[in-house]
């Protein structure tokens, strides 16, 4: 089974499969569902109940150079009304540097996602207009499936990457830090 098919098979049995069509219906420009919801769902499926990482929120990244925060708030409100038991974090990657100090300006949604802290977090999924799954995996899926926590190239020296990795390790003992160097 190819990695994308494996990822889709795992996520089909999670809340992601329920919220993905609703996200698609909002029609945010160049959107991806990425981050912890994808990562934690996969690790929980692979490592079982002893992995205490769960979906805290659904990170939805999109890109609109002329957009403003109202798009983010509108999408978040719509999704929260539809799924009141879930949390949604909707962020326009075009304006990310305006509210995250020290961040550079991203040129696309994909540029933003590939600069997230860890390779296993920089995985995006979405539905296209035909309802088929699409995948954005700039670092592949090997680290995600193997439970390896590796900083993305932009975050190798970032203390936030180390601190977040420590949190993951405390909640899921099957994970491993990547051997850097």
């Amino acid at each position: 089974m190819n990695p994308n098919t494996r990822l889709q098979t795992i996520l089909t049995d999670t809340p992601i499969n329920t919220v993905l069509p609703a996200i698609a219906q909002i029609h945010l420009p160049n959107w991806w569902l990425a981050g912890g919801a994808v990562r934690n769902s996969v690790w929980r499926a692979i490592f079982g109940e002893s992995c205490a990482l769960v979906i805290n929120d659904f990170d939805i990244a999109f890109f609109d150079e002329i957009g403003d925060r109202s798009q983010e708030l509108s999408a978040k409100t719509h999704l929260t009304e539809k799924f009141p038991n879930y949390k949604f974090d909707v962020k326009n990657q075009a304006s990310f540097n305006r509210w995250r100090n020290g961040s550079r300006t991203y040129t696309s949604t994909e540029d933003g996602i590939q600069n997230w802290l860890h390779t296993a977090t920089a995985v995006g999924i979405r539905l296209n207009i035909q309802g088929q799954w699409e995948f954005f995996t700039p670092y592949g899926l090997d680290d995600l499936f193997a439970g390896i926590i590796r900083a993305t190239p932009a975050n190798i020296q970032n203390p936030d990457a180390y601190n977040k990795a420590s949190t993951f390790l405390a909640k899921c003992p099957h994970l491993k830090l990547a051997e850097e160097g």
Side-chain angles (χ1 to χ4, degrees):
M1 175 182 311
N2 80 43
N4 289 347
T5 301
R6 182 179 180 200
L7 179 60
Q8 182 176 345
T9 300
I10 290 170
L11 296 178
T12 297
D13 292 327
T14 71
I16 287 173
N17 198 40
T18 304
V19 302
L20 211 52
I23 298 168
Q25 291 172 353
I26 297 173
H27 301 292
L28 290 168
N30 195 31
W31 70 274
W32 292 98
L33 172 64
V38 174
R39 179 199 62 229
N40 293 355
S41 294
V42 170
W43 285 347
R44 181 88 172 198
I46 291 172
F47 301 117
E49 303 243 343
S50 64
C51 183
L53 292 166
V54 296
I55 296 174
N56 295 319
D57 63 7
F58 293 89
D59 294 303
I60 303 158
F62 70 98
F63 192 86
D64 187 349
E65 287 185 274
I66 58 172
D68 59 29
R69 294 294 294 237
S70 66
Q71 286 171 291
E72 297 171 353
L73 298 173
S74 175
K76 181 178 179 175
T77 299
H78 174 78
L79 291 167
T80 302
E81 287 172 357
K82 191 166 181 78
F83 304 102
N85 295 325
Y86 297 140
K87 293 180 183 173
F88 297 90
D89 189 14
V90 184
K91 294 288 186 264
N92 183 356
Q93 300 300 289
S95 63
F96 195 76
N97 67 314
R98 286 185 237 148
W99 56 269
R100 177 68 61 94
N101 289 337
S103 292
R104 66 176 180 78
T105 302
Y106 294 133
T107 59
S108 67
T109 311
E110 294 81 3
D111 184 32
I113 291 172
Q114 73 184 8
N115 283 288
W116 289 6
L117 289 178
H118 302 106
T119 57
T121 305
V123 173
I125 59 168
R126 66 181 175 196
L127 297 178
N128 65 22
I129 58 172
Q130 292 82 28
Q132 298 167 321
W133 288 55
E134 294 183 343
F135 306 89
F136 176 63
T137 59
Y139 306 104
L141 294 169
D142 291 347
D143 286 351
L144 179 63
F145 292 144
I148 296 173
I149 305 168
R150 181 186 320 273
T152 59
N155 290 289
I156 289 173
Q157 301 298 322
N158 185 341
D160 290 341
Y162 176 80
N163 294 336
K164 198 75 135 163
S166 297
T167 302
F168 299 155
L169 290 166
K171 292 183 177 183
C172 190
H174 304 284
L175 301 177
K176 302 173 277 304
L177 282 175
E179 303 278 332
E180 302 292 344

